[in-house]
């Protein structure tokens, strides 16, 4: 599992660690990589040790090779309590990596639940764990959701498309009397 986000309270990696512990308690073998820096690092290390996840969780710090990490992930997990527009999910989607994310803010612009990814309410580690379990258990369905997300991103979110939409808007405005 991969989480790419600053280590800040609103990114809620605490819920993600709790979800990972729940999965391990169910006998599901997961390794969680968290790429990012921030003031919550020590708290997350402590939570990881307390939950017995020291050998299952890696806090990677800042990484310039996020694309390589994403490409190697089985699943990208986003646990934020709030979000504008998650660029990490955009990158994961473009690479065809399945996504489980919290249903907050701009995430909804990118992910449609059970169509292009799996969405769960924020701050609900049990539901997050269940969505992760579901995504890992049915790899074919996860791959199909990821394929649809990659297509959606290419059609709607790449700069060429956005430039074309902006140019069309200007043409429409200039055509008005």
């Amino acid at each position: 599992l991969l989480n790419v986000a600053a280590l800040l309270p609103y990114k809620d990696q605490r819920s993600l660690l709790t979800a990972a512990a729940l999965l391990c308690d169910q006998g599901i073998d997961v390794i969680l990589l968290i790429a990012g820096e921030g003031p919550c690092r020590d708290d997350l290390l402590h939570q990881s040790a307390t939950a017995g996840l020291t050998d299952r969780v890696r806090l990677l710090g800042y990484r310039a090779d996020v694309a390589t990490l994403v490409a190697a992930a089985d699943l990208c997990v986003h646990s934020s309590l709030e979000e504008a527009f998650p660029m990490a999910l955009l990158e994961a989607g473009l690479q065809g990596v399945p996504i489980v994310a919290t249903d907050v803010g701009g995430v909804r612009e990118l992910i449609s639940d059970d169509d292009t990814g799996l969405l769960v309410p924020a701050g609900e580690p049990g539901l997050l764990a269940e969505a992760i379990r579901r995504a890992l258990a049915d790899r074919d369905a996860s791959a199909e959701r990821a394929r649809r997300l990659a297509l959606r991103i290419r059609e709607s979110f790449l700069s060429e498309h956005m430039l074309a939409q902006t140019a069309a808007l200007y043409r429409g405005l200039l055509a008005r009397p």
Side-chain angles (χ1 to χ4, degrees):
L1 309 178
L2 176 65
N3 173 264
V4 179
L7 307 183
L8 297 167
Y10 77 93
K11 294 295 187 174
D12 199 23
Q13 284 100 349
R14 290 185 59 78
S15 286
L16 181 53
L17 287 173
T18 301
L22 291 169
L23 290 166
C24 289
D25 288 347
Q26 296 170 15
I28 299 170
D29 187 24
V30 296
I31 300 292
L32 173 60
L33 305 178
I34 300 175
E37 293 181 336
C40 293
R41 181 179 178 80
D42 289 342
D43 289 340
L44 295 172
L45 285 170
H46 177 74
Q47 181 185 357
S48 175
T50 302
L53 296 174
T54 304
D55 60 335
R56 302 250 173 235
V57 175
R58 311 274 191 287
L59 299 182
L60 304 176
Y62 170 79
R63 295 294 292 256
D65 62 342
V66 169
T68 302
L69 293 173
V70 169
D74 292 316
L75 185 66
C76 283
V77 184
H78 199 71
S79 55
S80 289
L81 299 172
E82 58 186 76
E83 193 67 53
F85 189 83
M87 296 305 291
L89 295 185
L90 188 68
E91 185 165 349
L94 272 174
Q95 291 196 44
V97 177
I99 293 173
V100 170
T102 48
D103 188 7
V104 296
V107 173
R108 288 182 213 108
E109 294 177 42
L110 188 60
I111 307 292
S112 297
D113 187 36
D114 208 24
D115 179 41
T116 56
L118 297 178
L119 294 177
V120 298
E124 296 284 345
L127 295 176
L128 185 60
E130 176 55 27
I132 293 168
R133 186 207 56 74
R134 180 176 164 210
L136 294 174
D138 191 344
R139 303 275 178 138
D140 291 340
S142 292
E144 180 56 26
R145 284 188 291 270
R147 185 195 65 74
R148 286 192 298 266
L149 177 58
L151 180 63
R152 179 174 183 192
I153 291 169
R154 285 185 183 91
E155 290 177 348
S156 301
F157 291 98
L158 295 184
S159 58
E160 297 85 15
H161 178 74
M162 295 175 113
L163 288 172
Q165 285 182 316
T166 302
L169 173 65
Y170 282 133
R171 280 193 298 278
L173 291 173
L174 290 172
R176 289 183 180 173

